[in-house]
Amino acid sequence: MAYDGFGITPRRLRVCALGCLTLLHASTAKCGEQIAETQGFMDLEARGSLTERWGYFLNHQSKVRDEEPEYFLYHIKGGLRYKAAPWLDFALAQRYEESRERGKDDWGREYRTEFDTTPRLALGSWTLASRNRIEYRDFESPKIDRWRYRNELKVSHPLPFWDLGGYVSEEPQYDFEVNRWSKHRATVGLTRKLNRWLSADVYYRWDIIEQSKDEGEWDNVQIIGVKLVIDIDRLT
């Protein structure tokens, strides 16, 4: 199949990948060299199929940081995925989250509903995916409930050693409560199948987050994450 009409070529995908890496490297130059926080993410996810097109998933994530309290967030998320076409997926998920702010011991709760639309384009061994997420965030009082839009553009390609895959992504996030882009996220990661039913994703991420009380003031947060995915279908 030819994609000349879209102007998308492997060369342009390589340029996009290089651009994401450049953004990751240059983010401190734009928003200040001080790192406000270093965090660690740990995900465990189980996935399975219901039919040829429908699937399900259940995810648990924990987060730690180098400030008190160190263990500050966990969530549980479950949902359904629908494969509308080889190049288009939809997903609907519900998420329960508890978190603690810096210097505080009390846990705040959030209930979040997420709807994803993800078109994909494969060019040889390159894959370009654009996940568009709309989410409604239902907080405990006194925090204000809000809508948010997130668009993750991800380029992935297998690597020529150790059966690894590599990817880079960039994800801006628009907060409708404040009517502006309030967060930007750049990620570079490695994936690998560990056996027939278990795969791993190890990544480095840079979040640029606007301080909620100061428009135009930004914090830099660096993250090291690990995600393990269990394929339930291959367990049986």
Side-chain angles (χ1 to χ4, degrees), residues 83-211:
K83 195 169 192 63
W87 53 272
L88 180 63
D89 292 346
F90 297 103
L92 179 65
Q94 187 67 35
R95 168 170 164 166
Y96 173 76
E97 178 177 298
E98 292 195 12
S99 61
R100 297 188 288 184
E101 297 181 1
R102 294 181 197 171
K104 296 183 179 180
D105 293 327
D106 295 334
W107 292 86
R109 297 177 179 84
E110 177 187 347
Y111 300 88
R112 188 182 304 182
T113 302
E114 302 174 351
F115 178 71
D116 295 352
T117 302
T118 309
R120 290 183 177 84
L121 179 61
L123 288 174
S125 54
W126 292 90
T127 301
L128 175 65
S130 177
R131 189 203 66 197
N132 298 271
R133 172 175 293 172
I134 293 289
E135 52 188 24
Y136 178 69
R137 309 179 69 191
D138 181 4
F139 294 102
E140 276 189 321
S141 179
K143 293 187 71 173
I144 299 173
D145 299 347
R146 59 188 62 204
W147 290 88
R148 185 166 65 178
Y149 169 69
R150 303 167 59 169
N151 175 223
E152 180 191 66
L153 181 64
K154 182 176 181 180
V155 180
S156 56
H157 190 277
L159 299 179
F161 48 86
W162 301 335
D163 295 323
L164 292 172
Y167 68 89
V168 292
S169 68
E170 201 276 334
E171 181 187 18
Q173 303 181 17
Y174 189 87
D175 189 332
F176 289 94
E177 177 64 26
V178 295
N179 291 319
R180 59 179 179 266
W181 299 97
S182 59
K183 185 174 182 178
H184 298 268
R185 168 172 285 177
T187 306
V188 57
L190 298 172
T191 60
R192 190 181 192 276
K193 285 190 68 67
L194 303 179
N195 56 40
R196 63 189 298 270
W197 54 267
L198 181 66
S199 60
D201 178 356
V202 180
Y203 57 88
Y204 177 79
R205 175 173 292 162
W206 200 285
D207 281 357
I208 306 170
I209 307 169
E210 187 173 36
Q211 298 175 8

Side-chain angles (χ1 to χ4, degrees), residues 1-50:
M1 181 180 294
Y3 291 97
D4 293 343
F6 294 96
I8 299 174
T9 64
R11 175 184 173 84
R12 290 197 174 186
L13 289 181
R14 286 192 289 270
V15 171
C16 180
L18 180 60
C20 288
L21 287 173
T22 302
L23 173 66
L24 186 66
H25 178 73
S27 57
T28 52
K30 179 180 178 181
C31 299
E33 296 183 358
Q34 292 297 321
I35 297 172
E37 200 168 82
T38 299
Q39 299 178 357
F41 290 7
M42 178 64 197
D43 280 79
L44 180 62
E45 181 167 309
R47 300 175 182 173
S49 299
L50 297 172

